[in-house]
Amino acid sequence: MRQLAVGVGQLLGRPPHFMNAYLVDDVLVDAGTPAAAGRILRQLQGHEVNAHVVTHAHPDHFGSSHAVCEKLGIPLWAGAGDAEAIETASPVPAPGRIPALMARGKMPSPHPVSRRLVEGDQVGSFTVLDVPGHSPGHIALWRESDRTLLCGDVFFRLPKVSAPWNFLTFDVERNHQAMRRLAALRPALVLFGHGKPLRQITSDQPDLLARVADALPGSG
């Protein structure tokens, strides 16, 4: 596990950085696909883990949630707007034919959500931000003290920082609003659901997230 900040570690993925999971204080954040369960559990050995948070109800983020929660005996937490999708393994698809076809594929095992997170809730040393768009109940985690942001899929970094792909996004315009909100925080460290961590130097110049957000349709 790679330590990125105080109390924040990134689990090693396969391939690296493609589908990320993090250990934040004593909380596992996201759990990849169903195939990731064994790898995640091995990396958590020797670490205190008391809960599991899913940033949003897409199968590449709650894929191993049921297996991990069952094995470790820990509760699952998720944004209130995505809780039902996880409990029924029925993510809300983006508009269009391709997302509809994808939604008919095999889904991960469902799992009860014991805590439905809303704006301002605390997850360890982080505060929950309600940032719907990529999914109806997408959340991010923000720590003001060192300006660390776990943005889930509000932004991608594959390899460039960008909006998530439209065909995977439930409401593109609402996700654009979420991008602008997170960029305005001017985070020093950004941790993505997909892509390498981004360290930004706070200055009077717009940072990378801000530049991407400012380039969105309707910005400025």
Side-chain angles (χ1 to χ4, degrees), residues 119-170:
E119 178 85 16
D121 281 347
Q122 290 298 124
V123 172
S125 56
F126 285 75
T127 301
V128 172
L129 304 180
D130 186 20
V131 283
H134 188 61
S135 74
H138 197 299
I139 60 168
L141 299 177
W142 169 243
R143 187 164 66 187
E144 176 71 28
S145 61
D146 62 355
R147 312 195 71 75
T148 297
L149 173 69
L150 283 83
C151 72
D153 283 5
V154 174
F155 289 88
F156 276 10
R157 195 186 186 194
L158 291 174
K160 295 180 180 180
V161 176
S162 69
W165 301 324
N166 286 356
F167 77 93
L168 295 176
T169 300
F170 169 72

Side-chain angles (χ1 to χ4, degrees), residues 7-132:
V8 180
Q10 180 183 6
L11 279 67
L12 302 179
R14 195 176 298 142
H17 307 295
F18 186 60
M19 296 181 187
N20 293 323
Y22 302 93
L23 184 62
V24 171
D25 301 320
D26 61 348
V27 180
L28 172 68
V29 179
D30 287 335
T33 67
R39 171 172 49 80
I40 289 172
L41 287 166
R42 284 192 297 273
Q43 292 185 66
L44 292 178
Q45 289 179 2
H47 296 275
E48 182 178 1
V49 186
N50 291 317
H52 171 38
V53 166
V54 174
T55 58
H56 61 289
H58 284 178
D60 56 335
H61 289 259
F62 79 97
S64 292
S65 294
H66 174 72
V68 169
C69 288
E70 287 289 294
K71 180 68 174 180
L72 299 181
I74 57 176
L76 175 60
W77 305 343
D82 273 8
E84 183 178 353
I86 294 171
E87 291 184 329
T88 61
S90 302
V92 179
R97 180 171 172 270
I98 293 177
L101 290 173
M102 293 173 63
R104 295 175 189 168
K106 182 175 175 59
M107 288 291 154
S109 298
H111 194 83
V113 175
S114 64
R115 183 182 177 196
R116 300 187 175 212
L117 298 168
V118 297
E119 178 85 16
D121 281 347
Q122 290 298 124
V123 172
S125 56
F126 285 75
T127 301
V128 172
L129 304 180
D130 186 20
V131 283

Side-chain angles (χ1 to χ4, degrees), residues 163 166 172-173 175-177 179-180 211-220:
N166 286 356
V172 170
E173 179 51 40
N175 192 74
H176 287 176
Q177 294 170 12
M179 292 172 69
R180 296 185 188 102
R211 292 200 299 271
V212 171
D214 288 345
L216 295 169
S219 297

